Amino acid sequence: MSRFVCQLLLGLLLSILAASMTPAQTGVVENALPKIASGDSLKPSINGTRVTGTTPGKPFIFMIPATGEGPLTFTAKGLPSGLTLDSKTGIITGSVKKAGSYVVSITVKGARGQASRKLKIEAGDHKLALTPPMGWNSWNCWAGAIDDAKVRAAADAMIKSGLAAHGYQYINIDDCWEEKRGDDGEIITNARFPDMKALADYVHSKGLKLGIYSSPGPKTCAGFTGSYKFEEQDAKTYAKWGIDYLKYDCCSYGEIVRPKEPEDFKKPYRIMDKALDSCGRDILFSLCQYGMGKVWEWGEEVGGNCWRTTGDINDSWGSMSGIGFSQNGHEKFAGPGHWNDPDMLVVGMVGWSANLHPSRLSYIEQVTHISLWSLLSSPMLIGCDMTRLDQFTTDLLTNDEVIAISQDPLGKPAGRISDNQGIQIWSRPLSDGTIAVGLFNTSQQDAEAAAKWSELGIEGKKPVRDLWLKKDLGDFSDQYTAKIPSHGAVLIKIGKPTVTD
Ligand code: GLA
């Protein structure tokens, strides 16, 4: 037999063999579309966070996230003095006069009925991010190619796609907007951002909030001007522009101080926290230093509303699962106002500007990603091109029952209950008296996973609901078992709510 025929036969044999193997056996995760609930109900519904915070006297903006067949009209009872609601857009603006905890009754009316829900407005010092921030950040899709038009397009798409109606509020500019300092020391934007104040006004006109990025060092990670020695002035400039969120990325600060002692890690963040406190505007403070010096142990102490716990994520199973499943143990340091941040979401069209492509995570892996990030109370910052959302990505990001886990007002992130041969069970208590449980299969084979009552600290017959399917599964005693594809997840809620709206 000639060499060519031998090769042909061998090739044929290998392809027959490969075809007869399951994707798990070949180590390739099949990119099958998982069954998840799709689309919004036509009936009105109020979504997203149930609690928001503000400092009395500082500007306040909050859009009530609501879905349902329109036109929708909004009313609110019990708004604190200083705030007004636009009944057509659902946007609440103004500035709260007096500190306090206000329970506001919101009603939304639409073509198919009405819905009511309570929104708590906490007015006082340090009341930002009472639930993890939700929104978009430019880095994972645009990186250095970000400009004013792309930020406006992201804000437009946040509304048009309906994502804002599920609670996504922040539109965050990452690195690469800075040019240099003027003679008076004020930071000047580069030509791609001709007017930052006008951009903030535009984003606010939609009921959304604008975020920006800087570094405590002289340079940002991409080599642009950082805030070192100009912290107070920068914070005031951000306030003047109308910025609502600052990601403060360590980067070149290492050239100023090589951190050894815990205080070395904390110092640059304390300085900016003080500057933000006195800048006249509420600006959410997001620490980014990749987990150095166990930031979760002191992020809250230096005023952080969230802190990155790891290096940069990318859209591979190794990166996402490596980061996500290593968060166990950090949960005890997070809570309302201060969250662990395992980095932004890598779903949809991502690519760091050079080669935008659909996330290389399989669909099943993306369900794992969003399930885990919701359980972890991670910030939910979408990293994709918002103008090119497909139906699957939209469904993944707008499941209100999954979002309700991320935004649960109790704010107790999940920890790992068990890990047996890659089958991991994570759980967290919820404010309504139930518990959320994630069943994950990180192994290479499809496998059965069991959430055991004894390990979850519960007893007796309990109703179980599948949150991705939005479906009651029935009552179970002792345990709930599910078959889970390799790299997949099932997210359930166990128990009967003891607290309702
Ligand atoms: C670091 C951060 C990223 C991004 C870039 C910008 O790598 O971790 O999230 O902000 O800097 O340069």
Side-chain angles (χ1 to χ4, degrees), residues 153-400:
D156 292 347
M158 192 62 99
I159 303 292
K160 204 167 160 224
S161 64
L163 262 66
H166 292 272
Y168 295 88
Q169 303 182 340
Y170 287 96
I171 300 292
N172 293 351
I173 306 165
D174 206 276
D175 205 349
C176 308
W177 60 268
E178 317 85 340
E179 175 70 35
K180 58 174 185 183
R181 294 203 177 271
D183 294 339
D184 58 357
E186 185 159 311
I187 186 78
I188 299 173
T189 56
N190 60 34
R192 288 178 287 124
F193 288 90
D195 188 341
M196 201 59 99
K197 164 99 178 55
L199 180 56
D201 289 347
Y202 182 79
V203 170
H204 292 154
S205 74
K206 314 236 151 211
L208 302 172
K209 303 180 191 192
L210 186 67
I212 212 163
Y213 166 103
S214 190
S215 171
K219 294 267 179 252
T220 67
C221 290
F224 292 81
T225 306
S227 293
Y228 182 57
K229 293 206 161 154
F230 290 88
E231 295 85 355
E232 223 172 285
Q233 193 172 7
D234 282 357
K236 290 216 164 78
T237 305
Y238 304 153
K240 186 173 79 178
W241 286 340
I243 298 296
D244 305 293
Y245 188 117
L246 173 67
K247 174 172 170 182
Y248 207 44
D249 194 348
C250 198
C251 262
S252 70
Y253 186 76
E255 293 165 17
I256 306 295
V257 177
R258 284 241 163 269
K260 275 191 225 96
E261 303 302 319
E263 196 50 38
D264 299 337
F265 290 105
K266 297 177 192 175
K267 193 176 162 203
Y269 289 96
R270 285 196 205 283
I271 294 172
M272 185 48 101
D273 180 50
K274 201 162 156 245
L276 292 176
D277 264 355
S278 55
C279 75
R281 191 173 174 89
D282 277 337
I283 300 184
L284 192 155
F285 192 26
S286 158
L287 277 48
C288 179
Q289 48 84 288
Y290 342 109
M292 291 186 306
K294 298 192 183 159
V295 63
W296 43 90
E297 291 182 359
W298 51 264
E300 183 188 4
E301 178 197 325
V302 301
N305 294 118
C306 53
W307 46 82
R308 277 271 299 278
T309 52
T310 72
D312 290 15
I313 197 167
N314 67 51
D315 57 326
S316 68
W317 169 254
S319 169
M320 184 279 287
S321 67
I323 287 176
F325 291 110
S326 67
Q327 299 303 306
N328 188 42
H330 298 161
E331 67 277 6
K332 54 179 176 288
F333 301 103
H338 50 279
W339 308 103
N340 295 303
D341 174 4
D343 209 359
M344 298 170 289
L345 306 177
V346 276
V347 300
M349 296 292 281
V350 291
W352 297 266
S353 94
N355 84 65
L356 236 56
H357 57 268
S359 173
R360 288 174 296 147
L361 292 176
S362 73
Y363 294 125
I364 280 168
E365 291 168 346
Q366 293 181 50
V367 171
T368 293
H369 184 18
I370 304 299
S371 304
L372 188 52
W373 263 238
S374 301
L375 284 165
L376 294 173
S377 300
S378 164
M380 295 298 246
L381 292 175
I382 303 162
C384 71
D385 180 353
M386 292 293 299
T387 66
R388 292 164 75 189
L389 284 172
D390 58 280
Q391 190 61 47
F392 173 74
T393 311
T394 305
D395 291 341
L396 196 66
L397 294 171
T398 59
N399 182 313
D400 296 311

